[in-house]
Amino acid sequence: QVQLVESGGGLVQAGGSLRLSCEASGRTFSSYAMGWFRRAPGKEREFVSAISRSGGSTYYADSVKGRFTISRDNAKNTYLQMNSLKPEDTAVYYCAARLLVTVKADDWRYWGQGTQVTVSS
């Protein structure tokens, strides 16, 4: 079992930045790829970014490429640095874990409770 807890969400003006954190507990953190997804009101959950188990490979949705950066440390933390935020980035952001990276949300095994990000125009 892996437990995930997100933090760092909040309200920010357009053009601003936020850094989301995801702390994992339970089984070996390094055994899992980590991902970030988001769900905006009235929309399906969508892939945002992911990082491989080693941290050597990163993946981004086209909508966030060049603005968001995913990283992980040797402890049990995964981060999502979000710059140049836009109102359309407003959503609940979820951290997820599975063995291998995929963009399909349904394939991720472990999920956090989510953290709200609101970007005002």
Side-chain angles (χ1 to χ4, degrees):
Q1 282 283 3
V2 176
Q3 292 79 43
L4 303 172
V5 179
E6 301 97 335
S7 61
L11 173 64
V12 64
Q13 288 188 331
S17 298
L18 282 174
R19 188 194 196 203
L20 304 183
S21 298
C22 173
E23 182 177 4
S25 60
R27 300 185 68 179
T28 307
F29 175 64
S30 60
S31 298
Y32 294 91
M34 301 298 296
W36 287 96
F37 292 78
R38 66 187 182 188
R39 176 177 283 157
K43 295 188 177 181
E44 296 290 321
R45 186 171 46 183
E46 66 172 354
F47 171 79
V48 175
S49 181
I51 188 166
S52 63
R53 288 176 287 183
S54 68
S57 297
T58 57
Y59 309 83
Y60 298 94
D62 288 343
S63 59
V64 307
K65 202 170 293 183
R67 300 187 297 122
F68 291 10
T69 304
I70 191 170
S71 62
R72 62 190 298 167
D73 61 23
N74 293 328
K76 292 186 175 181
N77 299 298
T78 305
Y79 306 99
L80 186 68
Q81 178 66 44
M82 305 186 297
N83 298 329
S84 302
L85 283 162
K86 305 175 181 180
E88 51 264 43
D89 294 318
T90 295
V92 177
Y93 283 71
Y94 298 90
C95 176
R98 76 184 301 267
L99 292 181
L100 297 174
V101 172
T102 174
V103 300
K104 295 176 60 178
D106 289 345
D107 289 345
W108 290 74
R109 182 172 183 182
Y110 301 105
W111 290 89
Q113 83 290 349
T115 185
Q116 176 71 47
V117 171
T118 303
V119 184
S120 63
S121 57

